[in-house]
Structures are given as structure tokens and as C-alpha cells.
PDB file of all heavy atoms in Angstrom:
ATOM      1  N   ASP O 194       0.828  -1.204   0.000  1.00 89.00           N
ATOM      2  CA  ASP O 194       0.000   0.000   0.000  1.00 89.00           C
ATOM      3  C   ASP O 194       0.863   1.254   0.000  1.00 89.00           C
ATOM      4  O   ASP O 194       0.576   2.215  -0.726  1.00 89.00           O
ATOM      5  CB  ASP O 194      -0.922  -0.025   1.222  1.00 89.00           C
ATOM      6  CG  ASP O 194      -2.024   1.020   1.137  1.00 89.00           C
ATOM      7  OD1 ASP O 194      -2.697   1.104   0.092  1.00 89.00           O
ATOM      8  OD2 ASP O 194      -2.217   1.764   2.125  1.00 89.00           O
ATOM      9  N   ARG O 195       1.931   1.245   0.783  1.00 89.00           N
ATOM     10  CA  ARG O 195       2.838   2.396   0.821  1.00 89.00           C
ATOM     11  C   ARG O 195       3.488   2.646  -0.537  1.00 89.00           C
ATOM     12  O   ARG O 195       3.759   3.791  -0.918  1.00 89.00           O
ATOM     13  CB  ARG O 195       3.933   2.159   1.868  1.00 89.00           C
ATOM     14  CG  ARG O 195       3.489   2.389   3.303  1.00 89.00           C
ATOM     15  CD  ARG O 195       4.624   2.066   4.240  1.00 89.00           C
ATOM     16  NE  ARG O 195       4.308   2.371   5.631  1.00 89.00           N
ATOM     17  CZ  ARG O 195       5.060   1.997   6.654  1.00 89.00           C
ATOM     18  NH1 ARG O 195       6.155   1.282   6.443  1.00 89.00           N
ATOM     19  NH2 ARG O 195       4.707   2.309   7.892  1.00 89.00           N
ATOM     20  N   ALA O 196       3.755   1.557  -1.254  1.00 91.00           N
ATOM     21  CA  ALA O 196       4.410   1.676  -2.562  1.00 91.00           C
ATOM     22  C   ALA O 196       3.425   1.996  -3.684  1.00 91.00           C
ATOM     23  O   ALA O 196       3.816   2.119  -4.853  1.00 91.00           O
ATOM     24  CB  ALA O 196       5.154   0.376  -2.877  1.00 91.00           C
ATOM     25  N   GLY O 197       2.148   2.138  -3.329  1.00 90.00           N
ATOM     26  CA  GLY O 197       1.130   2.420  -4.335  1.00 90.00           C
ATOM     27  C   GLY O 197       0.792   1.225  -5.193  1.00 90.00           C
ATOM     28  O   GLY O 197       0.255   1.365  -6.292  1.00 90.00           O
ATOM     29  N   GLU O 198       1.091   0.032  -4.674  1.00 92.00           N
ATOM     30  CA  GLU O 198       0.815  -1.205  -5.398  1.00 92.00           C
ATOM     31  C   GLU O 198      -0.403  -1.908  -4.802  1.00 92.00           C
ATOM     32  O   GLU O 198      -0.731  -1.696  -3.630  1.00 92.00           O
ATOM     33  CB  GLU O 198       2.034  -2.133  -5.317  1.00 92.00           C
ATOM     34  CG  GLU O 198       3.296  -1.533  -5.908  1.00 92.00           C
ATOM     35  CD  GLU O 198       4.517  -2.390  -5.625  1.00 92.00           C
ATOM     36  OE1 GLU O 198       4.370  -3.396  -4.883  1.00 92.00           O
ATOM     37  OE2 GLU O 198       5.609  -2.044  -6.127  1.00 92.00           O
ATOM     38  N   PRO O 199      -1.075  -2.767  -5.580  1.00 91.00           N
ATOM     39  CA  PRO O 199      -2.211  -3.520  -5.037  1.00 91.00           C
ATOM     40  C   PRO O 199      -1.759  -4.437  -3.900  1.00 91.00           C
ATOM     41  O   PRO O 199      -0.683  -5.044  -3.974  1.00 91.00           O
ATOM     42  CB  PRO O 199      -2.714  -4.333  -6.235  1.00 91.00           C
ATOM     43  CG  PRO O 199      -2.165  -3.641  -7.437  1.00 91.00           C
ATOM     44  CD  PRO O 199      -0.862  -3.047  -7.019  1.00 91.00           C
ATOM     45  N   MET O 200      -2.560  -4.532  -2.873  1.00 93.00           N
ATOM     46  CA  MET O 200      -2.266  -5.478  -1.811  1.00 93.00           C
ATOM     47  C   MET O 200      -2.420  -6.904  -2.325  1.00 93.00           C
ATOM     48  O   MET O 200      -3.250  -7.157  -3.203  1.00 93.00           O
ATOM     49  CB  MET O 200      -3.204  -5.271  -0.617  1.00 93.00           C
ATOM     50  CG  MET O 200      -2.942  -4.023   0.183  1.00 93.00           C
ATOM     51  SD  MET O 200      -4.009  -3.955   1.640  1.00 93.00           S
ATOM     52  CE  MET O 200      -3.560  -2.345   2.305  1.00 93.00           C
ATOM     53  N   PRO O 201      -1.640  -7.850  -1.795  1.00 93.00           N
ATOM     54  CA  PRO O 201      -1.808  -9.249  -2.212  1.00 93.00           C
ATOM     55  C   PRO O 201      -3.245  -9.727  -2.025  1.00 93.00           C
ATOM     56  O   PRO O 201      -3.943  -9.309  -1.090  1.00 93.00           O
ATOM     57  CB  PRO O 201      -0.850 -10.008  -1.286  1.00 93.00           C
ATOM     58  CG  PRO O 201       0.196  -8.996  -0.927  1.00 93.00           C
ATOM     59  CD  PRO O 201      -0.534  -7.687  -0.839  1.00 93.00           C
ATOM     60  N   GLU O 202      -3.674 -10.596  -2.922  1.00 93.00           N
ATOM     61  CA  GLU O 202      -5.057 -11.077  -2.905  1.00 93.00           C
ATOM     62  C   GLU O 202      -5.421 -11.738  -1.590  1.00 93.00           C
ATOM     63  O   GLU O 202      -6.561 -11.638  -1.135  1.00 93.00           O
ATOM     64  CB  GLU O 202      -5.268 -12.056  -4.065  1.00 93.00           C
ATOM     65  CG  GLU O 202      -6.713 -12.491  -4.237  1.00 93.00           C
ATOM     66  CD  GLU O 202      -6.929 -13.302  -5.494  1.00 93.00           C
ATOM     67  OE1 GLU O 202      -6.834 -12.725  -6.592  1.00 93.00           O
ATOM     68  OE2 GLU O 202      -7.183 -14.509  -5.362  1.00 93.00           O
ATOM     69  N   PHE O 203      -4.479 -12.405  -0.942  1.00 94.00           N
ATOM     70  CA  PHE O 203      -4.747 -13.043   0.352  1.00 94.00           C
ATOM     71  C   PHE O 203      -5.332 -12.040   1.339  1.00 94.00           C
ATOM     72  O   PHE O 203      -6.293 -12.340   2.060  1.00 94.00           O
ATOM     73  CB  PHE O 203      -3.455 -13.646   0.915  1.00 94.00           C
ATOM     74  CG  PHE O 203      -3.581 -14.130   2.335  1.00 94.00           C
ATOM     75  CD1 PHE O 203      -4.138 -15.373   2.627  1.00 94.00           C
ATOM     76  CD2 PHE O 203      -3.153 -13.341   3.396  1.00 94.00           C
ATOM     77  CE1 PHE O 203      -4.267 -15.814   3.935  1.00 94.00           C
ATOM     78  CE2 PHE O 203      -3.272 -13.778   4.708  1.00 94.00           C
ATOM     79  CZ  PHE O 203      -3.825 -15.022   4.979  1.00 94.00           C
ATOM     80  N   PHE O 204      -4.754 -10.844   1.398  1.00 94.00           N
ATOM     81  CA  PHE O 204      -5.239  -9.835   2.337  1.00 94.00           C
ATOM     82  C   PHE O 204      -6.587  -9.275   1.891  1.00 94.00           C
ATOM     83  O   PHE O 204      -7.519  -9.161   2.703  1.00 94.00           O
ATOM     84  CB  PHE O 204      -4.213  -8.707   2.475  1.00 94.00           C
ATOM     85  CG  PHE O 204      -2.950  -9.116   3.160  1.00 94.00           C
ATOM     86  CD1 PHE O 204      -1.827  -9.445   2.426  1.00 94.00           C
ATOM     87  CD2 PHE O 204      -2.887  -9.202   4.540  1.00 94.00           C
ATOM     88  CE1 PHE O 204      -0.655  -9.839   3.053  1.00 94.00           C
ATOM     89  CE2 PHE O 204      -1.718  -9.593   5.179  1.00 94.00           C
ATOM     90  CZ  PHE O 204      -0.599  -9.923   4.435  1.00 94.00           C
ATOM     91  N   ARG O 205      -6.708  -8.938   0.631  1.00 95.00           N
ATOM     92  CA  ARG O 205      -7.925  -8.280   0.159  1.00 95.00           C
ATOM     93  C   ARG O 205      -9.128  -9.223   0.175  1.00 95.00           C
ATOM     94  O   ARG O 205     -10.249  -8.795   0.467  1.00 95.00           O
ATOM     95  CB  ARG O 205      -7.721  -7.720  -1.250  1.00 95.00           C
ATOM     96  CG  ARG O 205      -6.733  -6.548  -1.291  1.00 95.00           C
ATOM     97  CD  ARG O 205      -6.787  -5.825  -2.627  1.00 95.00           C
ATOM     98  NE  ARG O 205      -8.118  -5.295  -2.893  1.00 95.00           N
ATOM     99  CZ  ARG O 205      -8.567  -4.137  -2.418  1.00 95.00           C
ATOM    100  NH1 ARG O 205      -7.803  -3.387  -1.646  1.00 95.00           N
ATOM    101  NH2 ARG O 205      -9.791  -3.719  -2.721  1.00 95.00           N
ATOM    102  N   LYS O 206      -8.921 -10.483  -0.139  1.00 94.00           N
ATOM    103  CA  LYS O 206     -10.047 -11.414  -0.239  1.00 94.00           C
ATOM    104  C   LYS O 206     -10.195 -12.285   1.014  1.00 94.00           C
ATOM    105  O   LYS O 206     -11.236 -12.293   1.653  1.00 94.00           O
ATOM    106  CB  LYS O 206      -9.906 -12.288  -1.488  1.00 94.00           C
ATOM    107  CG  LYS O 206     -10.043 -11.502  -2.792  1.00 94.00           C
ATOM    108  CD  LYS O 206     -10.135 -12.413  -3.989  1.00 94.00           C
ATOM    109  CE  LYS O 206     -10.258 -11.613  -5.281  1.00 94.00           C
ATOM    110  NZ  LYS O 206     -11.481 -10.813  -5.343  1.00 94.00           N
ATOM    111  N   ASP O 207      -9.146 -13.025   1.371  1.00 91.00           N
ATOM    112  CA  ASP O 207      -9.253 -13.954   2.498  1.00 91.00           C
ATOM    113  C   ASP O 207      -9.493 -13.223   3.818  1.00 91.00           C
ATOM    114  O   ASP O 207     -10.271 -13.678   4.663  1.00 91.00           O
ATOM    115  CB  ASP O 207      -7.981 -14.800   2.614  1.00 91.00           C
ATOM    116  CG  ASP O 207      -7.798 -15.745   1.440  1.00 91.00           C
ATOM    117  OD1 ASP O 207      -7.986 -15.292   0.288  1.00 91.00           O
ATOM    118  OD2 ASP O 207      -7.467 -16.921   1.653  1.00 91.00           O
ATOM    119  N   LEU O 208      -8.814 -12.087   4.007  1.00 91.00           N
ATOM    120  CA  LEU O 208      -8.941 -11.335   5.260  1.00 91.00           C
ATOM    121  C   LEU O 208      -9.912 -10.170   5.157  1.00 91.00           C
ATOM    122  O   LEU O 208     -10.321  -9.618   6.179  1.00 91.00           O
ATOM    123  CB  LEU O 208      -7.575 -10.790   5.682  1.00 91.00           C
ATOM    124  CG  LEU O 208      -6.516 -11.790   6.122  1.00 91.00           C
ATOM    125  CD1 LEU O 208      -5.272 -11.042   6.565  1.00 91.00           C
ATOM    126  CD2 LEU O 208      -7.031 -12.670   7.249  1.00 91.00           C
ATOM    127  N   GLY O 209     -10.260  -9.756   3.940  1.00 94.00           N
ATOM    128  CA  GLY O 209     -11.080  -8.553   3.796  1.00 94.00           C
ATOM    129  C   GLY O 209     -10.359  -7.333   4.327  1.00 94.00           C
ATOM    130  O   GLY O 209     -10.941  -6.470   4.977  1.00 94.00           O
ATOM    131  N   PHE O 210      -9.060  -7.257   4.050  1.00 94.00           N
ATOM    132  CA  PHE O 210      -8.196  -6.193   4.574  1.00 94.00           C
ATOM    133  C   PHE O 210      -7.718  -5.336   3.411  1.00 94.00           C
ATOM    134  O   PHE O 210      -7.194  -5.857   2.424  1.00 94.00           O
ATOM    135  CB  PHE O 210      -6.998  -6.825   5.301  1.00 94.00           C
ATOM    136  CG  PHE O 210      -6.020  -5.832   5.877  1.00 94.00           C
ATOM    137  CD1 PHE O 210      -6.210  -5.310   7.140  1.00 94.00           C
ATOM    138  CD2 PHE O 210      -4.896  -5.440   5.155  1.00 94.00           C
ATOM    139  CE1 PHE O 210      -5.294  -4.405   7.682  1.00 94.00           C
ATOM    140  CE2 PHE O 210      -3.984  -4.540   5.681  1.00 94.00           C
ATOM    141  CZ  PHE O 210      -4.176  -4.025   6.957  1.00 94.00           C
ATOM    142  N   GLY O 211      -7.917  -4.037   3.503  1.00 93.00           N
ATOM    143  CA  GLY O 211      -7.508  -3.157   2.415  1.00 93.00           C
ATOM    144  C   GLY O 211      -7.034  -1.818   2.936  1.00 93.00           C
ATOM    145  O   GLY O 211      -6.456  -1.727   4.016  1.00 93.00           O
ATOM    146  N   ASN O 212      -7.315  -0.768   2.177  1.00 92.00           N
ATOM    147  CA  ASN O 212      -6.942   0.579   2.608  1.00 92.00           C
ATOM    148  C   ASN O 212      -8.193   1.407   2.886  1.00 92.00           C
ATOM    149  O   ASN O 212      -9.317   0.925   2.758  1.00 92.00           O
ATOM    150  CB  ASN O 212      -6.027   1.247   1.584  1.00 92.00           C
ATOM    151  CG  ASN O 212      -6.657   1.298   0.194  1.00 92.00           C
ATOM    152  OD1 ASN O 212      -7.874   1.405   0.050  1.00 92.00           O
ATOM    153  ND2 ASN O 212      -5.827   1.230  -0.834  1.00 92.00           N
ATOM    154  N   SER O 213      -7.981   2.650   3.251  1.00 93.00           N
ATOM    155  CA  SER O 213      -9.099   3.491   3.676  1.00 93.00           C
ATOM    156  C   SER O 213     -10.122   3.709   2.574  1.00 93.00           C
ATOM    157  O   SER O 213     -11.330   3.806   2.841  1.00 93.00           O
ATOM    158  CB  SER O 213      -8.574   4.832   4.191  1.00 93.00           C
ATOM    159  OG  SER O 213      -7.767   5.459   3.201  1.00 93.00           O
ATOM    160  N   ALA O 214      -9.665   3.774   1.323  1.00 93.00           N
ATOM    161  CA  ALA O 214     -10.593   3.999   0.214  1.00 93.00           C
ATOM    162  C   ALA O 214     -11.586   2.849   0.069  1.00 93.00           C
ATOM    163  O   ALA O 214     -12.705   3.043  -0.420  1.00 93.00           O
ATOM    164  CB  ALA O 214      -9.818   4.194  -1.084  1.00 93.00           C
ATOM    165  N   ASP O 215     -11.188   1.647   0.507  1.00 95.00           N
ATOM    166  CA  ASP O 215     -12.076   0.488   0.403  1.00 95.00           C
ATOM    167  C   ASP O 215     -13.265   0.583   1.357  1.00 95.00           C
ATOM    168  O   ASP O 215     -14.272  -0.092   1.170  1.00 95.00           O
ATOM    169  CB  ASP O 215     -11.300  -0.803   0.695  1.00 95.00           C
ATOM    170  CG  ASP O 215     -10.225  -1.071  -0.337  1.00 95.00           C
ATOM    171  OD1 ASP O 215     -10.500  -0.914  -1.539  1.00 95.00           O
ATOM    172  OD2 ASP O 215      -9.103  -1.433   0.057  1.00 95.00           O
ATOM    173  N   VAL O 216     -13.135   1.388   2.379  1.00 97.00           N
ATOM    174  CA  VAL O 216     -14.218   1.562   3.363  1.00 97.00           C
ATOM    175  C   VAL O 216     -15.057   2.795   3.043  1.00 97.00           C
ATOM    176  O   VAL O 216     -16.263   2.833   3.293  1.00 97.00           O
ATOM    177  CB  VAL O 216     -13.641   1.687   4.788  1.00 97.00           C
ATOM    178  CG1 VAL O 216     -14.763   1.758   5.830  1.00 97.00           C
ATOM    179  CG2 VAL O 216     -12.696   0.525   5.098  1.00 97.00           C
ATOM    180  N   ALA O 217     -14.409   3.802   2.451  1.00 98.00           N
ATOM    181  CA  ALA O 217     -15.065   5.096   2.249  1.00 98.00           C
ATOM    182  C   ALA O 217     -16.303   5.016   1.364  1.00 98.00           C
ATOM    183  O   ALA O 217     -17.276   5.759   1.562  1.00 98.00           O
ATOM    184  CB  ALA O 217     -14.071   6.093   1.655  1.00 98.00           C
ATOM    185  N   GLY O 218     -16.302   4.114   0.392  1.00 97.00           N
ATOM    186  CA  GLY O 218     -17.472   3.988  -0.478  1.00 97.00           C
ATOM    187  C   GLY O 218     -18.716   3.593   0.288  1.00 97.00           C
ATOM    188  O   GLY O 218     -19.820   4.078   0.000  1.00 97.00           O
ATOM    189  N   LEU O 219     -18.570   2.713   1.281  1.00 98.00           N
ATOM    190  CA  LEU O 219     -19.715   2.296   2.098  1.00 98.00           C
ATOM    191  C   LEU O 219     -20.240   3.462   2.929  1.00 98.00           C
ATOM    192  O   LEU O 219     -21.453   3.619   3.090  1.00 98.00           O
ATOM    193  CB  LEU O 219     -19.328   1.122   3.001  1.00 98.00           C
ATOM    194  CG  LEU O 219     -20.401   0.639   3.971  1.00 98.00           C
ATOM    195  CD1 LEU O 219     -21.650   0.171   3.235  1.00 98.00           C
ATOM    196  CD2 LEU O 219     -19.840  -0.481   4.859  1.00 98.00           C
ATOM    197  N   ILE O 220     -19.331   4.276   3.449  1.00 98.00           N
ATOM    198  CA  ILE O 220     -19.752   5.456   4.213  1.00 98.00           C
ATOM    199  C   ILE O 220     -20.630   6.361   3.353  1.00 98.00           C
ATOM    200  O   ILE O 220     -21.719   6.797   3.763  1.00 98.00           O
ATOM    201  CB  ILE O 220     -18.518   6.237   4.715  1.00 98.00           C
ATOM    202  CG1 ILE O 220     -17.650   5.379   5.643  1.00 98.00           C
ATOM    203  CG2 ILE O 220     -18.948   7.540   5.398  1.00 98.00           C
ATOM    204  CD1 ILE O 220     -18.254   5.051   6.974  1.00 98.00           C
ATOM    205  N   ALA O 221     -20.167   6.641   2.148  1.00 98.00           N
ATOM    206  CA  ALA O 221     -20.925   7.528   1.257  1.00 98.00           C
ATOM    207  C   ALA O 221     -22.251   6.900   0.848  1.00 98.00           C
ATOM    208  O   ALA O 221     -23.279   7.595   0.748  1.00 98.00           O
ATOM    209  CB  ALA O 221     -20.090   7.873   0.028  1.00 98.00           C
ATOM    210  N   TYR O 222     -22.255   5.593   0.609  1.00 98.00           N
ATOM    211  CA  TYR O 222     -23.502   4.935   0.222  1.00 98.00           C
ATOM    212  C   TYR O 222     -24.535   5.021   1.339  1.00 98.00           C
ATOM    213  O   TYR O 222     -25.707   5.351   1.100  1.00 98.00           O
ATOM    214  CB  TYR O 222     -23.246   3.473  -0.141  1.00 98.00           C
ATOM    215  CG  TYR O 222     -24.535   2.733  -0.437  1.00 98.00           C
ATOM    216  CD1 TYR O 222     -25.223   2.944  -1.628  1.00 98.00           C
ATOM    217  CD2 TYR O 222     -25.095   1.863   0.509  1.00 98.00           C
ATOM    218  CE1 TYR O 222     -26.423   2.301  -1.882  1.00 98.00           C
ATOM    219  CE2 TYR O 222     -26.293   1.214   0.255  1.00 98.00           C
ATOM    220  CZ  TYR O 222     -26.950   1.438  -0.943  1.00 98.00           C
ATOM    221  OH  TYR O 222     -28.151   0.813  -1.176  1.00 98.00           O
ATOM    222  N   LEU O 223     -24.129   4.726   2.563  1.00 98.00           N
ATOM    223  CA  LEU O 223     -25.065   4.783   3.690  1.00 98.00           C
ATOM    224  C   LEU O 223     -25.552   6.203   3.943  1.00 98.00           C
ATOM    225  O   LEU O 223     -26.610   6.403   4.550  1.00 98.00           O
ATOM    226  CB  LEU O 223     -24.419   4.212   4.947  1.00 98.00           C
ATOM    227  CG  LEU O 223     -24.167   2.704   4.943  1.00 98.00           C
ATOM    228  CD1 LEU O 223     -23.391   2.288   6.187  1.00 98.00           C
ATOM    229  CD2 LEU O 223     -25.480   1.922   4.843  1.00 98.00           C
ATOM    230  N   ALA O 224     -24.786   7.193   3.486  1.00 98.00           N
ATOM    231  CA  ALA O 224     -25.187   8.594   3.646  1.00 98.00           C
ATOM    232  C   ALA O 224     -26.164   9.043   2.572  1.00 98.00           C
ATOM    233  O   ALA O 224     -26.768  10.114   2.682  1.00 98.00           O
ATOM    234  CB  ALA O 224     -23.949   9.491   3.612  1.00 98.00           C
ATOM    235  N   SER O 225     -26.348   8.234   1.551  1.00 98.00           N
ATOM    236  CA  SER O 225     -27.142   8.644   0.393  1.00 98.00           C
ATOM    237  C   SER O 225     -28.624   8.298   0.550  1.00 98.00           C
ATOM    238  O   SER O 225     -29.018   7.521   1.418  1.00 98.00           O
ATOM    239  CB  SER O 225     -26.607   7.960  -0.866  1.00 98.00           C
ATOM    240  OG  SER O 225     -26.925   6.571  -0.852  1.00 98.00           O
ATOM    241  N   ASP O 226     -29.433   8.852  -0.361  1.00 97.00           N
ATOM    242  CA  ASP O 226     -30.864   8.548  -0.374  1.00 97.00           C
ATOM    243  C   ASP O 226     -31.120   7.088  -0.727  1.00 97.00           C
ATOM    244  O   ASP O 226     -32.148   6.522  -0.359  1.00 97.00           O
ATOM    245  CB  ASP O 226     -31.576   9.458  -1.378  1.00 97.00           C
ATOM    246  CG  ASP O 226     -31.594  10.914  -0.951  1.00 97.00           C
ATOM    247  OD1 ASP O 226     -31.385  11.185   0.252  1.00 97.00           O
ATOM    248  OD2 ASP O 226     -31.801  11.794  -1.814  1.00 97.00           O
ATOM    249  N   ASP O 227     -30.188   6.466  -1.441  1.00 97.00           N
ATOM    250  CA  ASP O 227     -30.344   5.055  -1.809  1.00 97.00           C
ATOM    251  C   ASP O 227     -30.427   4.149  -0.583  1.00 97.00           C
ATOM    252  O   ASP O 227     -30.966   3.046  -0.659  1.00 97.00           O
ATOM    253  CB  ASP O 227     -29.159   4.600  -2.674  1.00 97.00           C
ATOM    254  CG  ASP O 227     -29.141   5.266  -4.035  1.00 97.00           C
ATOM    255  OD1 ASP O 227     -30.225   5.618  -4.531  1.00 97.00           O
ATOM    256  OD2 ASP O 227     -28.053   5.445  -4.592  1.00 97.00           O
TER     257      ASP O 227
END
């Protein structure tokens, strides 16, 4: 993540671990009329 590279799939899929942008979309969605 520091190097601006994709995190290994093990972290993103098996652990559901990512960066802040991966969470921010849910925040905005829950804030919306949808």
C-alpha cells in the first residue's frame, strides 16, 4: 500500500483487509438517499 501497489489477494479477499478507500465507499452509500 505504501508503494502504491495492489495489496496481495490473500489480504484483500481472504482477510477482507484493504486501505481506507475500500471503506469510504460504504460510508458515502449509507449517507445517500439510496
Side-chain angles (χ1 to χ4, degrees):
D194 193 49
R195 282 177 175 170
E198 300 171 355
M200 288 185 184
E202 187 172 291
F203 171 81
F204 292 98
R205 292 193 60 83
K206 293 190 181 297
D207 293 45
L208 292 183
F210 179 87
N212 56 32
S213 55
D215 295 316
V216 184
L219 176 60
I220 299 291
Y222 175 74
L223 291 174
S225 72
D226 292 341
D227 292 331

